[in-house]
Amino acid sequence: MPPSRPRRTGRRVRAARTAAAVALLLATAVACGDTGALRGAGATPTATSPARLWPSLSPAASPAYDFDEADTETVKGVAVPGDDIRKVDPVAVVRAEIAAHPGDYQGAKAPYRGTAERVADCEKGGDRSLCPVLKPYYRDLTGDGRDDLTLGFRLLPTKMTAVRVYTVEKHRLVRVMSNDDAVSGVELAGHSVIIRSPSELAGYEYRVQWTWDADQKAMLLTHDEFLRTGSPKHGVRRATPVAPDASASPSATP
């Protein structure tokens, strides 16, 4: 919950709204050729202040869930020629993550073993239609005037997609955002990455926003929403994620 604002802010807003309402009534009266007398606009709803619940409840000392806030990782074994992130091989970046997290990708019981098995299809001579690495996108998300890399790859055999953001720090490639989910859409806006995910409730979707924080030198989860997108037609259903473009070829800045 965002911190409560000082009362003077509320008074200023209410005063501004009252002044605006009076000005509007005056302008309407003049425009209609009225005699100039003010007329009532109806009853005004009574303002209700927030009610604080359980004031004696002891505040929590630590979060109940780990959202990987400010979670960064230096990518080992991947060079950044001339500090130009566009010269980094996206497939090599995915291979580096597989090597750094063998429990997730390697072995018969690894949840994303299919990604490690299919990454070879991203190389020359492989079946590119089976390559799990998606098309990379480049945009300055950190505000330092240089492009950063937004990379996605399928987490096979599941229907989830990994979304990562990388930047260059002290000549090294650093991952500054990591999000794994069933993805129906990804957008870049300003210094933020917005990820939409399907919901089991028809007509609704999950939407999270990761935004660059200069103090933490990482992208933080700043918004987590459950939004209505349309009229439900069949009640509760299991949504199927939309498969993104599987091309791993470099792209221009979106």
Side-chain angles (χ1 to χ4, degrees), residues 214-227:
D215 293 330
Q216 298 296 328
K217 294 188 179 299
M219 301 197 74
L220 305 183
L221 182 62
T222 53
H223 293 81
D224 188 352
E225 303 173 291
F226 184 62
L227 302 175

Side-chain angles (χ1 to χ4, degrees), residues 25-248:
L25 287 172
L26 287 174
T28 303
V30 172
C32 295
D34 206 332
T35 58
L38 294 177
R39 291 181 297 178
T44 302
T46 303
T48 304
S49 61
R52 182 183 178 188
L53 307 185
W54 308 301
S56 60
L57 184 66
S58 300
S62 61
Y65 302 102
D66 180 14
F67 288 100
D68 292 332
E69 287 136 337
D71 179 27
T72 63
E73 182 177 291
T74 299
V75 181
K76 297 181 180 180
V78 178
V80 188
D83 287 348
D84 185 354
I85 204 166
R86 287 177 174 266
K87 295 181 179 179
V88 174
D89 181 7
V91 177
V93 176
V94 176
R95 286 189 179 277
E97 174 160 334
I98 293 173
H101 303 278
D104 292 334
Y105 299 98
Q106 299 177 1
K109 296 184 179 180
Y112 311 134
R113 58 192 178 277
T115 300
E117 295 169 356
R118 291 296 184 186
V119 74
D121 286 307
C122 304
E123 306 290 354
K124 185 178 180 180
D127 186 348
R128 298 300 291 270
S129 65
L130 299 177
C131 173
V133 182
L134 308 180
K135 182 172 64 176
Y137 287 93
Y138 302 92
R139 175 179 286 194
D140 179 13
L141 295 173
T142 60
D144 62 358
R146 300 182 301 176
D147 282 337
D148 301 297
L149 168 63
T150 302
L151 183 62
F153 55 94
R154 293 192 178 95
L155 297 172
L156 303 173
T158 73
K159 293 186 179 297
M160 297 199 301
T161 301
V163 179
R164 306 284 188 263
V165 174
Y166 301 88
T167 190
V168 178
E169 293 182 4
K170 298 179 180 179
H171 315 297
R172 298 177 299 176
L173 187 67
V174 179
R175 190 197 70 203
V176 293
M177 194 213 83
S178 175
N179 188 96
D180 299 336
D181 205 345
V183 173
S184 56
V186 180
E187 301 170 14
L188 301 181
H191 300 292
S192 299
V193 178
I194 303 168
I195 302 174
R196 296 185 290 110
S197 301
S199 165
E200 291 186 356
L201 189 62
Y204 291 82
E205 71 175 8
Y206 296 99
R207 191 176 301 173
V208 299
Q209 178 174 327
W210 295 82
T211 304
W212 173 254
D213 186 285
D215 293 330
Q216 298 296 328
K217 294 188 179 299
M219 301 197 74
L220 305 183
L221 182 62
T222 53
H223 293 81
D224 188 352
E225 303 173 291
F226 184 62
L227 302 175
R228 185 166 184 169
T229 58
S231 300
K233 296 181 179 179
H234 305 291
V236 177
R237 65 175 176 84
R238 180 173 293 279
T240 302
V242 178
D245 181 10
S247 171

